[in-house]
Amino acid sequence: MKKKNILITGGAGFIGFNLYLKLFKTNNIYILDLKKKINQKPFKKNCKFIYGDISNKNIFNNLIKKKIVFDFIYHLAAETSTYISEIKKNKCYKTNVMGALNLCNFCEKIRPKNLIFSSSMAVYGKNSYKKNEKFNCKPISHYGISKLTSENIFLKLKDIGINVKIFRLFNAYGIFQDYNNPYQGMLSIYLSQITRTSKVQVTGSLKRSRDFIYIDDILSAFINLKILNNKNIDIFNLGSGKETKVLSLIRKIFKITNKRYEVNVGNHHTGDTDKSCANISRIKRFDWKPKTNLNMGIKKVINDINYFDENNSSFNR
C-alpha cells in the first residue's frame, strides 16, 4: 500500500507527538513546529521537519515550493492555554487565528485531500454540558473565540472540495504532556503537582466539572476512516461523555498516589468554564467509543511523570 503524505502542524506538542508515534511507521510524516520544541522530543529519523511558527506565512510559502501532495493535514498547532490566552490575547489570536488563515491559504493552493482541525469545547461558552454540535456557540474566552473563528475559516475549504473534519476536544490528557507547564491541561497540572510535591494549587472552584479524555481515545477518532470519509458531517464533539467534579478528581488522585491530602484553592480566571461534559452521541454512530477509563489513564500519566523526572526531564525512550 502506498504511503500517505501527512503534515502535522504542532507535531512536537502533546497531541501532535502522540499522533506522530501512531502514524510514522506506515506513512511519510512532515512535522511543522518550533525547532526548540522538536528538539525536545525523540523523533525517529524517517521524519521530515519544517521549522517555524504557523503565524509566519513564509513557512507555508516555502512549503508550497516543495510541491508535496498531502493526503492528510492535521492542524494541531495552537496556543492551548485558556489562562494564557486571557492575559496574552494578542498572542492567542496571532497564533490561533492568523495561523489558521495562513494554513487555509496554503490549502487553497496545494489542495490537500483532507484537513483535520483540533478545536475545543471552549467554543460552547460558560457551560458546555451535553451541548450537541448544532448548538449556537457563544464562547466567553479569547481562546474559545479564536477556535470558533478558526473553525469557520477551515469550513470554507469545503467549497473547493477539501474534506474538512473538526473535533471539539474536551479535556485531553495523557503521556508526553509538558509536565513543567503550570498552565496547560488541568489533569496534567494536578498530577504533576501532587506526584512531585504532595499538594495541589487549584485555580477556581472545586465544584467545577470537566470531561477528561485520554490521548489514545483522541487518536482513535483522528484516524477513524468511517469518520474521516463521511461527506455529510464536519464537526464532532470528542470527549468521554462522563462528567467529573474537580473535587472528586483531586480526591481520586490523592488516593491513587497515596499522598497526604493538601489542597489550596485560589481565584478563578476569566474565560473559565463551570460545567463541562461532552455529548458524544454523534461520534458514537461511527463505531467510536472511549476505551480508557479515568483511573487507568491517571496511572499511565503518573508512570510517565515518574519516568520523565527520573531521566532528567527527558522523554527519550
Side-chain angles (χ1 to χ4, degrees):
M1 184 180 294
K2 183 181 178 182
K3 290 186 175 182
K4 304 292 187 183
N5 290 327
I6 299 175
L7 171 63
I8 306 174
T9 73
F14 159 50
I15 297 177
F17 185 71
N18 276 285
L19 179 63
Y20 156 78
L21 291 176
K22 191 84 172 177
L23 298 175
F24 82 92
K25 290 182 180 179
T26 55
N27 299 282
N28 299 317
I29 306 295
Y30 297 78
I31 300 292
L32 194 167
D33 214 322
L34 301 175
K35 188 173 184 178
K36 64 179 182 180
K37 292 187 67 175
I38 289 174
N39 290 340
Q40 291 172 354
K41 291 291 193 334
F43 286 100
K44 311 299 180 182
K45 293 182 179 179
N46 59 340
C47 179
K48 298 176 177 63
F49 299 116
I50 302 142
Y51 301 113
D53 188 323
I54 57 169
S55 65
N56 181 355
K57 65 181 180 181
N58 291 329
I59 300 299
F60 294 101
N61 291 337
N62 292 334
L63 189 54
I64 288 172
K65 297 174 184 177
K66 298 182 183 295
K67 298 181 179 180
I68 303 165
V69 178
F70 287 108
D71 297 283
F72 295 90
I73 295 179
Y74 286 89
H75 182 49
L76 310 177
E79 171 54 63
T80 57
S81 167
T82 303
Y83 172 72
I84 295 297
S85 295
E86 289 301 296
I87 62 177
K88 295 183 179 180
K89 54 182 177 293
N90 289 345
K91 181 177 183 293
C92 168
Y93 290 114
K94 180 181 178 183
T95 301
N96 292 4
V97 178
M98 184 55 67
L101 189 58
N102 287 339
L103 180 58
C104 181
N105 292 334
F106 173 69
C107 289
E108 287 177 347
K109 293 174 182 175
I110 66 132
R111 303 293 178 100
K113 296 176 183 178
N114 302 276
L115 173 70
I116 296 94
F117 173 51
S118 174
S119 187
S120 169
M121 58 88 179
V123 301
Y124 290 118
K126 193 72 173 174
N127 185 334
S128 58
Y129 185 84
K130 295 296 184 179
K131 298 290 191 298
N132 67 38
E133 292 85 349
K134 296 180 180 179
F135 180 77
N136 184 24
C137 295
K138 297 179 181 179
I140 60 169
S141 64
H142 292 294
Y143 175 70
I145 294 169
S146 74
K147 284 294 188 179
L148 186 59
T149 303
S150 299
E151 285 188 12
N152 291 326
I153 289 172
F154 290 131
L155 286 173
K156 289 294 293 178
L157 292 172
K158 292 176 57 185
D159 296 342
I160 58 173
I162 296 173
N163 181 31
V164 176
K165 290 291 174 281
I166 294 168
F167 292 98
R168 290 174 175 166
L169 269 61
F170 281 65
N171 285 76
Y173 75 104
I175 62 173
F176 290 111
Q177 283 190 271
D178 184 352
Y179 303 123
N180 293 327
N181 187 336
Y183 305 112
Q184 188 180 62
M186 178 186 284
L187 188 44
S188 158
I189 295 168
Y190 294 170
L191 281 171
S192 60
Q193 288 184 10
I194 294 171
T195 300
R196 291 164 166 172
T197 69
S198 301
K199 58 185 177 181
V200 64
Q201 176 68 44
V202 178
T203 305
S205 171
L206 294 174
K207 296 179 180 179
R208 291 171 298 156
S209 67
R210 293 291 185 270
D211 181 332
F212 297 99
I213 178 167
Y214 191 71
I215 183 62
D216 289 354
D217 293 321
I218 293 171
L219 300 185
S220 69
F222 276 14
I223 65 174
N224 184 316
L225 292 180
K226 287 186 178 180
I227 297 172
L228 299 183
N229 292 336
N230 182 274
K231 302 299 182 184
N232 300 316
I233 302 177
D234 309 312
I235 301 174
F236 296 88
N237 288 331
L238 190 48
S240 71
K242 296 180 180 180
E243 179 186 17
T244 301
K245 298 285 187 181
V246 170
L247 179 58
S248 297
L249 173 68
I250 291 171
R251 286 174 172 169
K252 184 186 293 291
I253 296 171
F254 274 107
K255 183 177 180 180
I256 291 174
T257 56
N258 197 28
K259 301 284 188 179
R260 182 180 177 184
Y261 188 85
E262 183 176 344
V263 180
N264 299 309
V265 180
N267 295 328
H268 77 284
H269 63 78
T270 59
D272 198 10
T273 302
D274 286 338
K275 197 173 176 67
S276 176
C277 183
N279 179 336
I280 56 174
S281 58
R282 173 180 283 183
I283 195 169
K284 286 175 72 175
R285 302 203 310 256
F286 294 84
D287 296 330
W288 177 92
K289 63 179 181 180
K291 296 181 179 179
T292 306
N293 65 47
L294 191 54
N295 279 19
M296 186 189 308
I298 286 173
K299 290 175 182 177
K300 288 182 178 182
V301 176
I302 290 172
N303 288 337
D304 202 50
I305 292 171
N306 290 333
Y307 182 95
F308 182 80
D309 290 345
E310 289 167 5
N311 289 274
N312 300 316
S313 300
S314 171
F315 281 120
N316 288 304
R317 285 164 165 75

